[in-house]
Amino acid sequence: MVRAPCCEKMGLKKGPWTPEEDQILISYIQSNGHGNWRALPKLAGLLRCGKSCRLRWTNYLRPDIKRGNFTREEEDSIIQLHEMLGNRWSAIAARLPGRTDNEIKNVWHTHLKKRLKNYQPPQSSKRHSKNKDSKAPCTSQIALKSSNNFSNIKEDGPGLGLGSGPNSPQLSSSEMSTVTADSLAVTMGISNSNDQMDSSENFIPEIDESFWTDDLSTSGGEELQVQFPFHDMKQEDVEMDVGAKLEDDMDFWYNVFIKSGDLLELPEF
DNA sequence: AATTTGGTCAACCGCCACCTA
DNA sequence: ATAGGTGGCGGTTGACCAAAT
């Protein structure tokens, strides 16, 4: 298939938008809507390609866009959502009213990655050596703070919302599809089995797309254990949260038990 | 004061999925 | 079934600015 040319035509302007162009675009969309982005610039009298117009509108001119710095709460939400969704910026943006995927992506790369990087576990911690790869997710404190939320976030389509991101629960997709429980009983625990984390660099298993399922009902009484790693937390924080002293050879995971047949309340977005 | 370095963010690029004929 | 058109997405770039040297 031959790709349609975009912005290749000579005479189409590129680069920053001027206030005049903005005004033209706003006026046109306000009175005509944006039925066809490709046709829009010509109809509106703009020397831009449709793609550029759409981007400008969705990322900057849309009336419902919230300008200004991100609050701490918003940043926390982004971290948490990124933990679950990975680099799916549009999915993250859909959960943050008034924020665009581009904006969130920028904030992630400029602020939040740094913020998380600074969150180093103590050198003496055993898990530290296991997590030498900086690419490994390091936002497990979010799971600690809000493990209940993990079970209640709805994906684009119906599903458990336990996340297909890099730090997703340890479930095979086949297991997951049968455990579309209606509710979660979230418990917390510590595992001291070293086989939770193998010695490979990326010990968090990947979950493929089939992880997500439309099947929200299930019968049977099986109980499935889902584990959230929080290997980057400071040991003392984990101990405080758990309310117990941790042994040196313990790995740091939350155990979440899903009981099928119960009711899972999904938030509305 | 001039230059370099680093951070920020708007915009672009290329790919992909979906829809329609 | 296939080609072409379109919108959407994520990665990347580059202009701009402020701080550091």
Side-chain angles (χ1 to χ4, degrees), chain A residues 33-146:
Chain A
H34 57 76
N36 185 335
W37 284 114
R38 199 170 172 79
L40 186 147
K42 202 169 187 177
L43 296 169
L46 286 163
L47 289 173
R48 296 274 181 173
C49 71
K51 213 170 186 176
S52 180
C53 294
R54 184 179 59 81
L55 213 65
R56 183 65 180 170
W57 175 257
T58 54
N59 285 341
Y60 203 83
L61 300 176
R62 241 172 43 198
D64 56 328
I65 285 183
K66 195 194 290 181
R67 311 299 309 175
N69 293 338
F70 279 64
T71 64
R72 184 79 182 187
E73 288 71 27
E74 284 177 314
E75 290 186 355
D76 288 343
S77 296
I78 293 170
I79 293 170
Q80 181 179 342
L81 290 164
H82 186 269
E83 176 87 5
M84 295 185 297
L85 301 169
N87 291 3
R88 297 175 59 204
W89 308 114
S90 59
I92 294 173
R95 289 154 174 76
L96 288 171
R99 300 299 189 181
T100 68
D101 53 354
N102 207 33
E103 205 176 7
I104 290 167
K105 185 167 52 181
N106 283 334
V107 167
W108 176 261
H109 285 125
T110 57
H111 290 103
L112 303 183
K113 254 187 355 188
K114 239 176 290 170
R115 194 174 127 189
L116 294 173
K117 203 176 179 181
N118 291 336
Y119 195 89
Q120 293 293 338
Q123 288 294 329
S124 59
S125 168
K126 182 181 175 184
R127 66 194 182 277
H128 190 65
S129 60
K130 284 181 177 180
N131 193 32
K132 61 183 181 353
D133 186 358
S134 63
K135 284 186 291 183
C138 53
T139 58
S140 308
Q141 74 266 31
I142 298 306
L144 182 63
K145 276 160 50 179
S146 56

Side-chain angles (χ1 to χ4, degrees), chain A residues 195-213:
Chain A
D195 56 10
Q196 301 289 358
M197 298 183 191
D198 62 37
S199 57
S200 64
E201 286 201 350
N202 190 6
F203 56 85
I204 306 298
E206 293 277 334
I207 293 178
D208 63 27
E209 282 303 313
S210 61
F211 174 86
W212 303 107
T213 173

Side-chain angles (χ1 to χ4, degrees), chain A residues 222-233:
Chain A
E222 77 273 13
E223 184 175 82
L224 193 86
Q225 181 177 345
V226 184
Q227 295 187 314
F228 294 112
F230 46 98
H231 47 276
D232 271 301
M233 290 193 65

Side-chain angles (χ1 to χ4, degrees), chain A residues 154-247:
Chain A
K154 188 178 180 182
E155 241 294 298
D156 290 334
L160 262 182
L162 282 169
S164 60
N167 234 5
S168 301
Q170 289 196 311
L171 282 177
S172 72
S173 54
S174 58
E175 283 173 321
M176 202 59 218
S177 61
T178 62
V179 191
T180 47
D182 301 331
S183 117
L184 294 177
V186 179
T187 62
M188 193 171 73
I190 295 295
S191 162
N192 66 355
S193 63
N194 288 332
D195 56 10
Q196 301 289 358
M197 298 183 191
D198 62 37
S199 57
S200 64
E201 286 201 350
N202 190 6
F203 56 85
I204 306 298
E206 293 277 334
I207 293 178
D208 63 27
E209 282 303 313
S210 61
F211 174 86
W212 303 107
T213 173
D214 288 343
D215 180 15
L216 280 174
S217 63
T218 180
S219 57
E222 77 273 13
E223 184 175 82
L224 193 86
Q225 181 177 345
V226 184
Q227 295 187 314
F228 294 112
F230 46 98
H231 47 276
D232 271 301
M233 290 193 65
K234 289 180 180 171
Q235 182 163 343
E236 51 267 36
D237 290 339
V238 175
E239 286 169 344
M240 188 181 301
D241 220 82
V242 171
K245 189 82 183 161
L246 300 179
E247 297 295 329

